[in-house]
């Protein structure tokens, strides 16, 4: 199939893009990497009357540390994360994630901002950004605002961007001393969506887990944190008993749907196993391997 007809706009600045989105309203979609939008249009699952291509706006392509944060512009491509020495050294959870998204052809074009804005619980970055306690920077007709990642995903393929707003960047706090993170994913074949995946970012202080956030991929209708599992671990030494309790809690609080990738029970058990493996990997990177 081929997409329906649409009008195509290529703004040269962010202000021009915002003006277009405000004027065109619900009839318009942002085109960044297009790795989700274009296939949906080809199969007529999405039929926007207007496309606003933001790829000519240079300020959206920055990848740099700034004031204790990693700033990822909306147009940063997945392969840039994979190839970044900074990301590999200081943000291993993010590096893990970028390496297992789809395949090299997709990663060359797909954007981090688009991955998040699509708000697909099967995408990999939502869980990772939840684990990092990231923030989304958005700009619209009323100016710029910062959205906590916990408030960004509001439904299946729904985010909290207001009409006319454009996601411009993602901001990740730079991990401090004793921090470690990891992402682990089970997929049927290379490049597939996850059957289930787990993102963990933690801090180890004096032999105890002083901070931890856990994100889950593709086991609920909205990207979710495993808060019960976090509660089972925070403030405790990372013992086998604590890890077992956290894994059990996560498997019970997730809400997967049965599909060709597996049954509900199978996906819950994958979460149970992956929680333990991923937390152990994060602990190893934090210097407290078990």
């Amino acid at each position: 199939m081929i997409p329906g007809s649409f009008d195509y706009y290529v703004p040269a600045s962010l202000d021009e893009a915002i003006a277009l989105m405000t004027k065109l309203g619900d009839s318009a979609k942002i085109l960044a990497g297009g790795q989700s939008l274009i296939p949906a249009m080809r199969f007529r699952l999405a039929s926007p009357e207007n496309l606003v291509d933001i790829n000519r706006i240079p300020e959206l392509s920055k990848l740099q540390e700034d004031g204790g944060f990693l700033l990822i512009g909306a147009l940063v491509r997945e392969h840039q994360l994979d190839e970044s020495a900074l990301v590999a050294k200081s943000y291993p959870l993010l590096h893990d994630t970028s390496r297992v998204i789809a395949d090299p052809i997709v990663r060359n074009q797909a954007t981090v901002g688009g991955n998040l804005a699509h708000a697909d619980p099967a995408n990999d970055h939502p869980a990772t950004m939840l684990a990092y306690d990231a923030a989304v920077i958005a700009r619209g007709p009323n100016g710029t605002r910062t959205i906590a990642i916990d408030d960004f995903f509001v439904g299946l393929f729904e985010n909290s961007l207001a009409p006319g707003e454009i996601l411009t960047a993602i901001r990740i706090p730079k991990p401090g001393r004793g921090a470690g993170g990891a992402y682990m994913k089970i997929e049927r074949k290379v490049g597939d969506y996850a059957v289930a995946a787990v993102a963990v970012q933690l801090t180890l202080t004096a032999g105890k887990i002083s901070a931890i956030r856990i994100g889950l991929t593709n086991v609920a209708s909205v990207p979710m944190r495993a808060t019960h599992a976090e509660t089972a671990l925070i403030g405790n030494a990372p013992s086998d008993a604590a890890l077992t309790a956290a894994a059990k809690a996560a498997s019970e609080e997730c809400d997967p749907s049965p599909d060709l990738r597996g049954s509900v029970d199978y996906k819950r058990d994958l979460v149970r196993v992956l929680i333990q493996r991923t937390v152990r990997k994060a602990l190893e990177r934090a210097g407290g391997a078990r």
Side-chain angles (χ1 to χ4, degrees):
M1 298 178 69
I2 60 174
S5 62
F6 56 87
D7 290 330
Y8 178 68
Y9 299 87
V10 189
S13 69
L14 190 52
D15 286 341
E16 185 182 352
I18 291 168
L20 279 167
M21 291 301 295
T22 303
K23 175 184 176 182
L24 298 171
D26 292 340
S27 70
K29 291 285 188 183
I30 291 288
L31 177 64
Q35 299 305 292
S36 296
L37 178 59
I38 298 302
M41 291 173 63
R42 284 186 58 209
F43 289 102
R44 303 294 179 99
L45 298 174
S47 299
E49 297 173 17
N50 302 281
L51 284 187
V52 178
D53 185 340
I54 60 172
N55 283 280
R56 308 298 196 277
I57 305 176
E59 66 188 274
L60 301 181
S61 297
K62 295 178 181 178
L63 176 63
Q64 62 188 39
E65 281 190 328
D66 183 12
F69 296 91
L70 178 67
L71 194 68
I72 306 170
L75 289 179
V76 169
R77 313 289 169 174
E78 300 292 352
H79 78 89
Q80 292 176 257
L81 299 183
D82 192 15
E83 297 165 2
S84 168
L86 170 63
V87 171
K89 178 182 178 181
S90 300
Y91 303 86
L93 164 56
L94 183 60
H95 194 242
D96 284 352
T97 308
S98 66
R99 299 184 70 185
V100 296
I101 291 175
D103 54 51
I105 294 174
V106 170
R107 290 197 294 273
N108 283 340
Q109 186 65 19
T111 63
V112 183
N115 189 290
L116 278 188
H118 192 47
D120 184 347
N123 279 351
D124 296 285
H125 277 304
T128 291
M129 297 306 173
L130 285 168
Y132 268 128
D133 195 16
V136 170
I137 312 300
R139 186 166 150 190
N142 296 318
T144 300
R145 68 181 179 123
T146 301
I147 306 169
I149 196 67
D150 285 334
D151 300 325
F152 187 67
F153 306 110
V154 297
L156 181 63
F157 301 111
E158 291 186 75
N159 61 52
S160 59
L161 292 173
E165 276 190 330
I166 296 174
L167 187 158
T168 61
I170 303 101
R171 194 175 66 193
I172 297 175
K174 184 175 182 178
R177 184 185 299 272
Y183 186 70
M184 290 192 176
K185 173 180 179 177
I186 297 295
E187 54 195 345
R188 296 179 302 174
K189 59 183 178 65
V190 174
D192 194 12
Y193 287 111
V195 180
V198 172
V200 173
Q201 183 67 28
L202 58 78
T203 302
L204 197 62
T205 305
K208 294 185 177 181
I209 297 174
S210 55
I212 185 167
R213 288 174 66 100
I214 301 172
L216 304 180
T217 298
N218 212 15
V219 288
S221 61
V222 177
M224 66 170 289
R225 281 174 58 197
T227 55
H228 295 173
E230 294 169 3
T231 300
L233 290 168
I234 195 164
N236 295 319
S239 64
D240 290 340
L243 287 173
T244 299
K248 182 175 184 292
S251 70
E252 291 174 350
E253 66 182 308
C254 68
D255 186 24
S257 299
D259 57 25
L260 294 175
R261 293 180 176 85
S263 66
V264 169
D265 288 343
Y266 175 62
K267 292 180 180 183
R268 287 188 188 277
D269 203 48
L270 274 184
V271 169
R272 180 187 63 80
V273 172
L274 285 173
I275 286 284
Q276 296 185 70
R277 291 180 182 177
T278 313
V279 171
R280 290 180 191 279
K281 185 64 176 179
L283 285 168
E284 178 184 330
R285 288 172 169 170
R290 285 194 49 81

